[in-house]
mmCIF file of all heavy atoms in Angstrom:
data_model
loop_
_atom_site.group_PDB
_atom_site.id
_atom_site.type_symbol
_atom_site.label_atom_id
_atom_site.label_comp_id
_atom_site.label_asym_id
_atom_site.label_seq_id
_atom_site.Cartn_x
_atom_site.Cartn_y
_atom_site.Cartn_z
ATOM 1 N N ILE X 1 19.169 8.483 3.601
ATOM 2 C CA ILE X 1 19.743 7.199 4.050
ATOM 3 C C ILE X 1 21.214 7.245 4.077
ATOM 4 O O ILE X 1 21.837 7.231 2.995
ATOM 5 C CB ILE X 1 19.226 6.074 3.201
ATOM 6 C CG1 ILE X 1 17.684 6.093 2.943
ATOM 7 C CG2 ILE X 1 19.627 4.697 3.750
ATOM 8 C CD1 ILE X 1 16.904 5.812 4.229
ATOM 9 N N PHE X 2 21.838 7.422 5.243
ATOM 10 C CA PHE X 2 23.260 7.541 5.355
ATOM 11 C C PHE X 2 23.861 8.549 4.380
ATOM 12 O O PHE X 2 24.812 8.246 3.638
ATOM 13 C CB PHE X 2 23.884 6.100 5.185
ATOM 14 C CG PHE X 2 23.604 5.194 6.293
ATOM 15 C CD1 PHE X 2 22.654 4.228 6.095
ATOM 16 C CD2 PHE X 2 24.272 5.285 7.483
ATOM 17 C CE1 PHE X 2 22.309 3.280 7.146
ATOM 18 C CE2 PHE X 2 24.033 4.401 8.498
ATOM 19 C CZ PHE X 2 23.102 3.395 8.299
ATOM 20 N N GLY X 3 23.210 9.735 4.316
ATOM 21 C CA GLY X 3 23.732 10.834 3.472
ATOM 22 C C GLY X 3 23.222 10.803 2.048
ATOM 23 O O GLY X 3 23.552 11.706 1.308
ATOM 24 N N ARG X 4 22.441 9.834 1.658
ATOM 25 C CA ARG X 4 21.949 9.672 0.294
ATOM 26 C C ARG X 4 20.437 10.030 0.288
ATOM 27 O O ARG X 4 19.641 9.417 0.963
ATOM 28 C CB ARG X 4 22.246 8.308 -0.203
ATOM 29 C CG ARG X 4 21.627 7.989 -1.603
ATOM 30 C CD ARG X 4 22.158 6.613 -2.074
ATOM 31 N NE ARG X 4 22.133 5.646 -1.039
ATOM 32 C CZ ARG X 4 21.068 4.861 -0.734
ATOM 33 N NH1 ARG X 4 19.950 5.104 -1.321
ATOM 34 N NH2 ARG X 4 21.137 3.954 0.206
ATOM 35 N N THR X 5 20.065 10.933 -0.569
ATOM 36 C CA THR X 5 18.632 11.392 -0.626
ATOM 37 C C THR X 5 17.807 10.406 -1.443
ATOM 38 O O THR X 5 18.205 9.960 -2.477
ATOM 39 C CB THR X 5 18.509 12.788 -1.210
ATOM 40 O OG1 THR X 5 19.257 13.732 -0.493
ATOM 41 C CG2 THR X 5 17.068 13.233 -1.261
ATOM 42 N N LYS X 6 16.663 10.010 -0.903
ATOM 43 C CA LYS X 6 15.708 9.142 -1.539
ATOM 44 C C LYS X 6 14.293 9.721 -1.489
ATOM 45 O O LYS X 6 13.918 10.344 -0.486
ATOM 46 C CB LYS X 6 15.768 7.795 -0.820
ATOM 47 C CG LYS X 6 15.012 6.660 -1.449
ATOM 48 C CD LYS X 6 15.075 5.415 -0.662
ATOM 49 C CE LYS X 6 14.591 4.193 -1.461
ATOM 50 N NZ LYS X 6 15.662 3.686 -2.320
ATOM 51 N N GLN X 7 13.558 9.540 -2.610
ATOM 52 C CA GLN X 7 12.167 10.062 -2.576
ATOM 53 C C GLN X 7 11.233 8.884 -2.256
ATOM 54 O O GLN X 7 11.155 7.862 -3.010
ATOM 55 C CB GLN X 7 11.861 10.642 -3.920
ATOM 56 C CG GLN X 7 10.424 11.207 -4.035
ATOM 57 C CD GLN X 7 10.245 12.469 -3.202
ATOM 58 O OE1 GLN X 7 11.199 13.073 -2.832
ATOM 59 N NE2 GLN X 7 8.998 12.768 -2.890
ATOM 60 N N VAL X 8 10.535 9.001 -1.125
ATOM 61 C CA VAL X 8 9.550 7.989 -0.764
ATOM 62 C C VAL X 8 8.204 8.417 -1.349
ATOM 63 O O VAL X 8 7.758 9.542 -1.185
ATOM 64 C CB VAL X 8 9.403 7.862 0.787
ATOM 65 C CG1 VAL X 8 8.325 6.894 1.118
ATOM 66 C CG2 VAL X 8 10.787 7.485 1.420
ATOM 67 N N THR X 9 7.595 7.482 -2.067
ATOM 68 C CA THR X 9 6.300 7.721 -2.687
ATOM 69 C C THR X 9 5.222 6.936 -1.924
ATOM 70 O O THR X 9 5.353 5.722 -1.697
ATOM 71 C CB THR X 9 6.293 7.395 -4.163
ATOM 72 O OG1 THR X 9 7.297 8.076 -4.874
ATOM 73 C CG2 THR X 9 4.959 7.619 -4.829
ATOM 74 N N ALA X 10 4.116 7.621 -1.563
ATOM 75 C CA ALA X 10 3.014 6.947 -0.894
ATOM 76 C C ALA X 10 2.523 5.763 -1.718
ATOM 77 O O ALA X 10 2.454 5.825 -2.938
ATOM 78 C CB ALA X 10 1.882 7.935 -0.634
ATOM 79 N N HIS X 11 2.158 4.668 -0.998
ATOM 80 C CA HIS X 11 1.637 3.570 -1.707
ATOM 81 C C HIS X 11 0.383 2.988 -1.016
ATOM 82 O O HIS X 11 0.379 2.728 0.207
ATOM 83 C CB HIS X 11 2.687 2.394 -1.813
ATOM 84 C CG HIS X 11 2.259 1.255 -2.750
ATOM 85 N ND1 HIS X 11 2.589 1.216 -4.001
ATOM 86 C CD2 HIS X 11 1.486 0.122 -2.431
ATOM 87 C CE1 HIS X 11 2.097 0.145 -4.560
ATOM 88 N NE2 HIS X 11 1.405 -0.521 -3.651
ATOM 89 N N SER X 12 -0.671 2.775 -1.778
ATOM 90 C CA SER X 12 -1.937 2.324 -1.261
ATOM 91 C C SER X 12 -2.345 1.042 -1.925
ATOM 92 O O SER X 12 -2.081 0.869 -3.153
ATOM 93 C CB SER X 12 -3.010 3.344 -1.432
ATOM 94 O OG SER X 12 -4.298 2.897 -1.117
ATOM 95 N N PHE X 13 -2.940 0.128 -1.201
ATOM 96 C CA PHE X 13 -3.479 -1.117 -1.791
ATOM 97 C C PHE X 13 -4.973 -1.050 -1.996
ATOM 98 O O PHE X 13 -5.615 -2.035 -2.332
ATOM 99 C CB PHE X 13 -3.131 -2.302 -0.846
ATOM 100 C CG PHE X 13 -1.659 -2.693 -0.928
ATOM 101 C CD1 PHE X 13 -0.778 -2.246 0.031
ATOM 102 C CD2 PHE X 13 -1.176 -3.454 -1.969
ATOM 103 C CE1 PHE X 13 0.570 -2.529 -0.026
ATOM 104 C CE2 PHE X 13 0.154 -3.775 -2.079
ATOM 105 C CZ PHE X 13 1.075 -3.360 -1.059
ATOM 106 N N GLY X 14 -5.542 0.122 -1.804
ATOM 107 C CA GLY X 14 -6.953 0.358 -1.995
ATOM 108 C C GLY X 14 -7.477 1.450 -1.145
ATOM 109 O O GLY X 14 -6.869 1.871 -0.129
ATOM 110 N N ASN X 15 -8.652 1.939 -1.452
ATOM 111 C CA ASN X 15 -9.252 3.056 -0.673
ATOM 112 C C ASN X 15 -10.538 2.531 0.023
ATOM 113 O O ASN X 15 -11.423 1.936 -0.598
ATOM 114 C CB ASN X 15 -9.632 4.225 -1.591
ATOM 115 C CG ASN X 15 -9.944 5.437 -0.821
ATOM 116 O OD1 ASN X 15 -10.951 5.421 -0.052
ATOM 117 N ND2 ASN X 15 -9.145 6.471 -0.926
ATOM 118 N N LEU X 16 -10.538 2.729 1.297
ATOM 119 C CA LEU X 16 -11.609 2.256 2.167
ATOM 120 C C LEU X 16 -12.964 2.859 1.795
ATOM 121 O O LEU X 16 -14.007 2.359 2.181
ATOM 122 C CB LEU X 16 -11.256 2.467 3.624
ATOM 123 C CG LEU X 16 -12.014 1.585 4.629
ATOM 124 C CD1 LEU X 16 -11.660 0.149 4.502
ATOM 125 C CD2 LEU X 16 -11.627 2.047 6.030
ATOM 126 N N SER X 17 -12.925 4.020 1.170
ATOM 127 C CA SER X 17 -14.200 4.733 0.851
ATOM 128 C C SER X 17 -15.080 3.884 -0.052
ATOM 129 O O SER X 17 -16.299 3.995 0.014
ATOM 130 C CB SER X 17 -13.893 6.082 0.166
ATOM 131 O OG SER X 17 -13.179 6.907 1.122
ATOM 132 N N HIS X 18 -14.483 3.092 -0.931
ATOM 133 C CA HIS X 18 -15.272 2.329 -1.904
ATOM 134 C C HIS X 18 -14.897 0.898 -1.980
ATOM 135 O O HIS X 18 -15.361 0.202 -2.898
ATOM 136 C CB HIS X 18 -15.170 2.999 -3.301
ATOM 137 C CG HIS X 18 -13.784 3.376 -3.736
ATOM 138 N ND1 HIS X 18 -12.832 2.433 -4.041
ATOM 139 C CD2 HIS X 18 -13.178 4.581 -3.769
ATOM 140 C CE1 HIS X 18 -11.675 3.060 -4.405
ATOM 141 N NE2 HIS X 18 -11.859 4.357 -4.181
ATOM 142 N N THR X 19 -14.063 0.409 -1.109
ATOM 143 C CA THR X 19 -13.698 -1.022 -1.088
ATOM 144 C C THR X 19 -13.680 -1.484 0.421
ATOM 145 O O THR X 19 -13.275 -0.686 1.283
ATOM 146 C CB THR X 19 -12.304 -1.231 -1.667
ATOM 147 O OG1 THR X 19 -12.242 -0.598 -2.931
ATOM 148 C CG2 THR X 19 -12.009 -2.724 -1.844
ATOM 149 N N SER X 20 -14.050 -2.712 0.636
ATOM 150 C CA SER X 20 -13.996 -3.201 2.009
ATOM 151 C C SER X 20 -12.599 -3.433 2.458
ATOM 152 O O SER X 20 -11.733 -3.767 1.637
ATOM 153 C CB SER X 20 -14.831 -4.523 2.118
ATOM 154 O OG SER X 20 -14.145 -5.598 1.545
ATOM 155 N N LEU X 21 -12.373 -3.313 3.765
ATOM 156 C CA LEU X 21 -11.022 -3.512 4.306
ATOM 157 C C LEU X 21 -10.637 -4.976 4.131
ATOM 158 O O LEU X 21 -9.502 -5.365 3.860
ATOM 159 C CB LEU X 21 -10.989 -3.198 5.793
ATOM 160 C CG LEU X 21 -9.651 -3.258 6.508
ATOM 161 C CD1 LEU X 21 -8.625 -2.325 5.809
ATOM 162 C CD2 LEU X 21 -9.803 -2.919 7.988
ATOM 163 N N LYS X 22 -11.613 -5.913 4.245
ATOM 164 C CA LYS X 22 -11.330 -7.303 3.973
ATOM 165 C C LYS X 22 -10.824 -7.561 2.587
ATOM 166 O O LYS X 22 -9.832 -8.271 2.325
ATOM 167 C CB LYS X 22 -12.620 -8.117 4.240
ATOM 168 C CG LYS X 22 -12.349 -9.623 4.000
ATOM 169 C CD LYS X 22 -13.681 -10.389 4.245
ATOM 170 C CE LYS X 22 -13.475 -11.911 3.864
ATOM 171 N NZ LYS X 22 -14.726 -12.680 4.122
ATOM 172 N N ARG X 23 -11.493 -6.960 1.593
ATOM 173 C CA ARG X 23 -11.101 -7.101 0.201
ATOM 174 C C ARG X 23 -9.625 -6.593 -0.010
ATOM 175 O O ARG X 23 -8.847 -7.166 -0.730
ATOM 176 C CB ARG X 23 -12.062 -6.478 -0.737
ATOM 177 C CG ARG X 23 -11.668 -6.573 -2.187
ATOM 178 C CD ARG X 23 -12.835 -6.196 -3.069
ATOM 179 N NE ARG X 23 -13.910 -7.131 -3.041
ATOM 180 C CZ ARG X 23 -14.972 -7.071 -3.875
ATOM 181 N NH1 ARG X 23 -15.099 -6.072 -4.752
ATOM 182 N NH2 ARG X 23 -15.917 -7.980 -3.749
ATOM 183 N N ILE X 24 -9.389 -5.434 0.617
ATOM 184 C CA ILE X 24 -8.071 -4.861 0.462
ATOM 185 C C ILE X 24 -6.989 -5.770 1.099
ATOM 186 O O ILE X 24 -5.969 -6.072 0.516
ATOM 187 C CB ILE X 24 -8.043 -3.429 1.068
ATOM 188 C CG1 ILE X 24 -8.947 -2.470 0.268
ATOM 189 C CG2 ILE X 24 -6.590 -2.893 1.090
ATOM 190 C CD1 ILE X 24 -9.131 -1.199 0.895
ATOM 191 N N TRP X 25 -7.254 -6.153 2.365
ATOM 192 C CA TRP X 25 -6.300 -6.972 3.135
ATOM 193 C C TRP X 25 -5.981 -8.314 2.447
ATOM 194 O O TRP X 25 -4.895 -8.772 2.502
ATOM 195 C CB TRP X 25 -6.883 -7.198 4.541
ATOM 196 C CG TRP X 25 -5.952 -7.975 5.444
ATOM 197 C CD1 TRP X 25 -6.139 -9.276 5.811
ATOM 198 C CD2 TRP X 25 -4.769 -7.577 6.130
ATOM 199 N NE1 TRP X 25 -5.106 -9.705 6.653
ATOM 200 C CE2 TRP X 25 -4.244 -8.664 6.800
ATOM 201 C CE3 TRP X 25 -4.072 -6.343 6.172
ATOM 202 C CZ2 TRP X 25 -3.079 -8.556 7.590
ATOM 203 C CZ3 TRP X 25 -2.931 -6.219 6.903
ATOM 204 C CH2 TRP X 25 -2.465 -7.341 7.605
ATOM 205 N N THR X 26 -7.053 -8.866 1.861
ATOM 206 C CA THR X 26 -6.847 -10.203 1.244
ATOM 207 C C THR X 26 -6.594 -10.144 -0.263
ATOM 208 O O THR X 26 -6.587 -11.143 -0.988
ATOM 209 C CB THR X 26 -8.031 -11.090 1.500
ATOM 210 O OG1 THR X 26 -9.240 -10.477 0.928
ATOM 211 C CG2 THR X 26 -8.242 -11.344 2.946
ATOM 212 N N SER X 27 -6.369 -8.938 -0.796
ATOM 213 C CA SER X 27 -6.112 -8.750 -2.240
ATOM 214 C C SER X 27 -4.781 -9.486 -2.654
ATOM 215 O O SER X 27 -3.877 -9.646 -1.823
ATOM 216 C CB SER X 27 -6.062 -7.332 -2.646
ATOM 217 O OG SER X 27 -4.952 -6.674 -2.051
ATOM 218 N N ARG X 28 -4.704 -9.821 -3.895
ATOM 219 C CA ARG X 28 -3.527 -10.542 -4.413
ATOM 220 C C ARG X 28 -2.251 -9.651 -4.202
ATOM 221 O O ARG X 28 -1.230 -10.134 -3.744
ATOM 222 C CB ARG X 28 -3.709 -10.814 -5.912
ATOM 223 C CG ARG X 28 -2.571 -11.516 -6.575
ATOM 224 C CD ARG X 28 -2.842 -11.813 -8.018
ATOM 225 N NE ARG X 28 -1.723 -12.480 -8.667
ATOM 226 C CZ ARG X 28 -1.490 -13.815 -8.656
ATOM 227 N NH1 ARG X 28 -2.398 -14.595 -8.060
ATOM 228 N NH2 ARG X 28 -0.468 -14.299 -9.243
ATOM 229 N N GLU X 29 -2.362 -8.383 -4.454
ATOM 230 C CA GLU X 29 -1.228 -7.525 -4.411
ATOM 231 C C GLU X 29 -0.734 -7.328 -2.987
ATOM 232 O O GLU X 29 0.492 -7.300 -2.699
ATOM 233 C CB GLU X 29 -1.561 -6.107 -5.015
ATOM 234 C CG GLU X 29 -1.803 -6.166 -6.518
ATOM 235 C CD GLU X 29 -3.153 -6.692 -6.864
ATOM 236 O OE1 GLU X 29 -4.050 -6.808 -5.959
ATOM 237 O OE2 GLU X 29 -3.419 -6.978 -8.041
ATOM 238 N N TYR X 30 -1.703 -7.151 -2.038
ATOM 239 C CA TYR X 30 -1.324 -6.916 -0.627
ATOM 240 C C TYR X 30 -0.781 -8.203 -0.024
ATOM 241 O O TYR X 30 0.197 -8.141 0.760
ATOM 242 C CB TYR X 30 -2.532 -6.425 0.148
ATOM 243 C CG TYR X 30 -2.201 -5.646 1.390
ATOM 244 C CD1 TYR X 30 -3.230 -4.978 2.113
ATOM 245 C CD2 TYR X 30 -0.870 -5.575 1.902
ATOM 246 C CE1 TYR X 30 -2.917 -4.295 3.300
ATOM 247 C CE2 TYR X 30 -0.599 -4.862 3.090
ATOM 248 C CZ TYR X 30 -1.623 -4.207 3.772
ATOM 249 O OH TYR X 30 -1.377 -3.522 4.904
#
């Protein structure tokens, strides 16, 4: 960012394999 190095870390609000997309989308955190 304008010459300054930053580490971006992946962030997930849930995994679709074992949670519904609706539950993830409407979760408190998301």
Side-chain angles (χ1 to χ4, degrees):
I1 309 294
F2 292 101
R4 174 171 44 84
T5 302
K6 187 183 194 80
Q7 182 68 20
V8 177
T9 301
H11 189 91
S12 171
F13 287 98
N15 192 296
L16 200 64
S17 297
H18 45 73
T19 310
S20 75
L21 186 58
K22 178 182 177 181
R23 177 169 292 186
I24 295 171
W25 180 257
T26 59
S27 67
R28 181 180 179 86
E29 294 77 14
Y30 202 172

